[in-house]
Amino acid sequence: MNDRERKDNELGIDLDMKGLTLDSDEAAKPQAQNRPMSHEDMARMIAKNMAMQDGGFDEPITPVRGVSDFGEETIKPKKPKTTETRSKNAKPASKQTSKSGSKNGKKKKKKSSSGKTVAIAICSVVGVMIVAAGGFYLWGMNSYKDRFLGNTYINGIEVSGKTKAEAYKLVSEQAVIPEAITVTKKDGTTFSIKLSEIGYNDNTQNLITQYYTQQNHYSWFSSAMKRTDFTFESKFKYDKAKLEKVLKRKVLDSQSTKDPEDAYIKKGDDNSYVVVKETTGDAVEENKIDELYSYVENQIDDGSFDVDISKADCYKKPAITADMLEETCKKLNNLNDIEITFDFIYTTETLTGDTIMDWITFDEDNAEAGYTVDEDKAMAYVEDLADKYDTYGKDREFKTTKRGTITISEGQGCYGWWIDQQKTCDLIVDLVEKGESAETEPVYYVNPDSAYEYTCNKDWRTADKDYGNTYIEVDLTAQHLWYYKDGKLAMESDIVSGYPSKSRNTPGGVYKLWYKEKGKTLRGSADGQSYASYVDYWNNVSTIGIGLHDASWQNGNFGGSRYKSSTWGSHGCINMPLDKAKYVYDKIDMGTPVFMYW
């Protein structure tokens, strides 16, 4: 132990930074309620120890009010007794002590007194420093009482020296959790749901309290040298039942909710049509309300407090959209420009949009059904075409070989142009419904039983007649047949026609060669009798079973009045010699008209 340590030890002072240890009666006294020693108590204790060690105070120390380095109260000792006073009470010195020894003793006393004075001064300075350090430490402890230590940050926000309440306010102001949820509806309007309405409870306050508790306030002085950061994500809990109740009231039960409206087609003043777009509205399907709840809850759970519910798949939808009507609108507008042209060989007929628009029926309230074509009006148009251009069933002027020009009625003949009115009407309606223009022919009638088509050679069709200079002429009265090709006689023959009874008579009229068959057995019945006759050449010219064919049973006898015999008269056909029937089969073209007359 060195001299300084010895002196310090003599003073009974423990220089440990954590506190003071005193070898006095005062040290043995417990401090009231374990509170830290005040500056004044420490000063008194140090001064008393020093006085006791030095022996310089004979009387109790009396505190005197004043200002000193130790505080407001300063120790003021009484004056020590003088040397003379002490000598009077002292025992006489030994006689053996010399004067010289007496002098040396005085010097030693002076040295001892001087050393103690230096030690006292040093201890005083150290004591002051210790007291100052303790005071500063206690000041720091008191400054950060119930507050965050210096250099502390939460989510990047400095909360140094802030209470938990102050820190919560700062962090909450910067947090992503607002006071209310903003909901944007389909119509663009918004409404708010306060978090307090849905039982909001976040984790911020609990975490701030937790962070405060984690700090060691006894080591407050080290916080200045090291930054402390706390980071967390804001999360909160809420009552979904309360949220759904608010959503139902403000969305499903709202008086301002609008149902969707279907798109429709509107006719303008210029007779053009436009599509009026549908409106979606914001009415929610009652059976899809749970989808709305789930959508909003998912948005909130993902940290979004600005929720656009127009994106939720829960709304009533219009039954008819603009896209569904675009094609119909286009067709309607095309009707003004549509043209359907019918080719009648020598001329044409054109159905225009002006006429068609008069046939159109359109219900704006039922736009998805499109427009309809008045078929009665379309049929009336076709009937007019038939009256004008049909040649089937009409009488014809014909220049005969022997009897001059006569009028031949159609009779039971099948020659001529005959428009199938229903199918032609259907064709027109179909084109109009599609909004398409077209160049086409009328649909001509085809016999459903025989597939016979009521048309003629296109090259022969003119405004005046439907045949040319090639034809077969049969004079039933003269029982004779002529074939003219390009106006010139190419072949002629006597014939035997039908026996003149009701069921076997050969009717006059205009026919057409339209079917041929070689080696055919003709079967039928007439006048109560059935027959089956084989022929080599069958040339059909009607739709009622009348044709030109060979007849071996005539034994080469044709012409005259043979037809009037029930034995030799035919069942209605034109009997011919074999070679003549073969000529018709081989030489005369299909479609050649056959004029029969009485």
Side-chain angles (χ1 to χ4, degrees):
M1 181 181 296
N2 57 35
D3 292 339
R4 180 166 181 167
E5 291 174 340
R6 187 180 300 109
K7 292 175 181 179
D8 290 342
N9 191 53
E10 289 174 359
L11 291 174
I13 299 174
D14 184 1
L15 300 183
D16 183 52
M17 290 297 292
K18 293 183 179 179
L20 300 172
T21 302
L22 304 177
D23 290 334
S24 68
D25 293 338
E26 293 292 341
K29 296 179 181 181
Q31 295 184 10
Q33 298 178 353
N34 295 324
R35 64 178 178 80
M37 183 181 294
S38 68
H39 298 175
E40 293 84 351
D41 292 340
M42 187 178 294
R44 291 192 196 100
M45 191 67 65
I46 293 172
K48 190 173 182 180
N49 274 328
M50 291 172 61
M52 292 175 65
Q53 292 294 328
D54 188 45
F57 300 103
D58 292 333
E59 297 181 11
I61 298 172
T62 302
V64 179
R65 287 287 177 182
V67 178
S68 74
D69 290 340
F70 295 102
E72 291 183 352
E73 293 187 4
T74 304
I75 304 301
K76 185 176 180 181
K78 293 181 178 182
K79 287 184 178 181
K81 295 178 179 182
T82 61
T83 304
E84 290 78 10
T85 304
R86 290 196 304 268
S87 298
K88 290 178 179 180
N89 296 325
K91 293 181 178 181
S94 174
K95 294 181 178 181
Q96 293 179 358
T97 303
S98 64
K99 294 181 178 179
S100 141
S102 178
K103 290 180 181 180
N104 289 337
K106 289 179 180 180
K107 287 182 181 181
K108 287 181 180 179
K109 286 181 180 180
K110 287 182 180 180
K111 278 187 178 182
S112 176
S113 177
S114 175
K116 287 182 178 181
T117 302
V118 173
I120 290 172
I122 292 172
C123 288
S124 296
V125 172
V126 172
V128 170
M129 292 177 64
I130 292 172
V131 170
F136 179 71
Y137 177 79
L138 292 174
W139 171 84
M141 286 283 293
N142 187 60
S143 296
Y144 289 111
K145 181 180 182 181
D146 296 327
R147 297 177 181 272
F148 280 95
L149 298 180
N151 218 7
T152 301
Y153 293 79
I154 300 177
N155 282 356
I157 301 167
E158 185 174 11
V159 294
S160 303
K162 303 296 182 182
T163 65
K164 288 178 285 185
E166 291 171 340
Y168 174 75
K169 182 178 180 182
L170 284 174
V171 174
S172 296
E173 287 175 352
Q174 300 296 324
V176 296
I177 300 177
E179 293 183 357
I181 300 168
T182 300
V183 180
T184 303
K185 299 171 67 177
K186 286 195 73 174
D187 62 359
T189 61
T190 61
F191 65 87
S192 296
I193 302 175
K194 293 182 179 180
L195 297 182
S196 58
E197 291 184 80
I198 60 174
Y200 160 76
N201 181 22
D202 69 15
N203 62 339
T204 304
Q205 194 162 11
N206 291 336
L207 288 172
I208 287 177
T209 299
Q210 179 181 331
Y211 297 154
Y212 173 81
T213 304
Q214 291 176 3
Q215 290 195 317
N216 183 2
H217 284 69
Y218 290 103
S219 60
W220 62 266
F221 48 86
S222 65
S223 64
M225 296 177 286
K226 182 179 179 181
R227 171 169 169 157
T228 301
D229 278 282
F230 297 103
T231 303
F232 69 94
E233 292 184 2
S234 297
K235 294 181 180 179
F236 73 95
K237 297 179 180 180
Y238 61 95
D239 189 328
K240 291 188 177 183
K242 291 182 178 180
L243 172 64
E244 292 171 3
K245 184 176 180 181
V246 174
L247 288 173
K248 184 177 185 300
R249 184 179 76 250
K250 294 192 174 185
V251 179
L252 189 64
D253 300 334
S254 174
Q255 295 296 320
S256 62
T257 298
K258 294 181 180 180
D259 286 328
E261 294 182 359
D262 292 341
Y264 62 95
I265 296 175
K266 181 179 180 181
K267 187 175 183 180
D269 296 335
D270 59 350
N271 289 327
S272 64
Y273 293 88
V274 294
V275 175
V276 179
K277 189 175 178 61
E278 74 278 3
T279 57
T280 57
D282 57 358
V284 176
E285 291 277 7
E286 289 193 24
N287 60 350
K288 289 188 174 182
I289 187 65
D290 288 338
E291 294 187 28
L292 173 65
Y293 295 157
S294 296
Y295 180 84
V296 175
E297 289 163 3
N298 289 337
Q299 292 287 305
I300 296 173
D301 292 344
D302 289 341
S304 176
F305 298 93
D306 191 354
V307 182
D308 183 359
I309 61 175
S310 66
K311 299 176 181 178
D313 183 20
C314 62
Y315 297 97
K316 294 179 180 178
K317 296 178 181 179
I320 304 167
T321 64
D323 291 342
M324 297 167 63
L325 301 179
E326 288 295 342
E327 188 66 24
T328 299
C329 186
K330 182 179 178 181
K331 291 176 184 177
L332 282 169
N333 286 322
N334 285 343
L335 293 180
N336 285 314
D337 301 323
I338 197 172
E339 289 186 350
I340 302 174
T341 300
F342 293 99
D343 185 5
F344 292 98
I345 310 306
Y346 65 91
T347 189
T348 59
E349 285 282 344
T350 300
L351 175 60
T352 64
D354 291 338
T355 301
I356 292 171
M357 290 302 293
D358 187 50
W359 303 353
I360 300 303
T361 300
F362 180 73
D363 184 2
E364 292 184 358
D365 295 331
N366 190 25
E368 75 279 9
Y371 58 86
T372 57
V373 182
D374 190 328
E375 293 191 20
D376 291 338
K377 291 181 178 181
M379 181 59 77
Y381 175 80
V382 175
E383 290 172 352
D384 288 341
L385 290 180
D387 289 342
K388 187 175 181 179
Y389 295 103
D390 276 358
T391 61
Y392 169 74
K394 293 182 178 180
D395 295 341
R396 292 174 178 82
E397 295 294 318
F398 180 73
K399 185 178 180 181
T400 67
T401 302
K402 299 290 186 178
R403 296 161 56 179
T405 300
I406 63 174
T407 298
I408 302 177
S409 63
E410 184 69 33
Q412 295 187 46
C414 56
Y415 187 82
W417 297 89
W418 184 13
I419 294 175
D420 187 326
Q421 295 183 16
Q422 185 59 57
K423 291 186 177 180
T424 301
C425 179
D426 292 344
L427 171 63
I428 292 173
V429 170
D430 183 60
L431 289 170
V432 173
E433 286 179 346
K434 291 179 180 178
E436 296 177 357
S437 295
E439 291 183 2
T440 184
E441 292 182 352
V443 180
Y444 292 99
Y445 187 71
V446 176
N447 188 304
D449 297 325
S450 62
Y452 175 85
E453 183 176 358
Y454 288 81
T455 58
C456 305
N457 190 320
K458 293 181 180 180
D459 295 337
W460 299 337
R461 189 171 192 181
T462 67
D464 300 323
K465 60 181 184 178
D466 57 0
Y467 63 95
N469 294 326
T470 299
Y471 53 86
I472 297 172
E473 178 185 351
V474 179
D475 186 337
L476 296 173
T477 302
Q479 292 290 287
H480 198 77
L481 177 149
W482 295 271
Y483 168 61
Y484 291 91
K485 183 174 177 62
D486 298 330
K488 296 180 179 180
L489 181 62
M491 184 271 292
E492 62 178 311
S493 173
D494 288 333
I495 65 165
V496 175
S497 64
Y499 174 71
S501 67
K502 184 177 182 180
S503 62
R504 294 171 62 181
N505 184 55
T506 301
V510 183
Y511 300 87
K512 179 176 72 174
L513 178 59
W514 67 278
Y515 180 76
K516 298 177 180 181
E517 187 174 349
K518 193 173 181 181
K520 179 178 178 65
T521 298
L522 305 177
R523 302 178 187 277
S525 63
D527 293 343
Q529 296 180 352
S530 297
Y531 64 90
S533 304
Y534 175 83
V535 300
D536 289 315
Y537 300 100
W538 168 247
N539 302 290
N540 196 357
V541 297
S542 73
T543 57
I544 58 175
I546 296 175
L548 311 178
H549 61 81
D550 56 285
S552 57
W553 58 87
Q554 295 291 354
N555 299 316
N557 297 309
F558 297 92
S561 60
R562 191 174 178 83
Y563 74 97
K564 294 179 180 181
S565 168
S566 60
T567 301
W568 307 113
S570 74
H571 295 94
C573 291
I574 304 299
N575 289 181
M576 302 174 67
L578 179 62
D579 60 332
K580 301 302 182 181
K582 184 177 185 301
Y583 182 92
V584 174
Y585 185 89
D586 292 338
K587 302 294 186 180
I588 300 178
D589 294 334
M590 291 285 200
T592 299
V594 180
F595 294 88
M596 295 187 187
Y597 54 88
W598 287 96

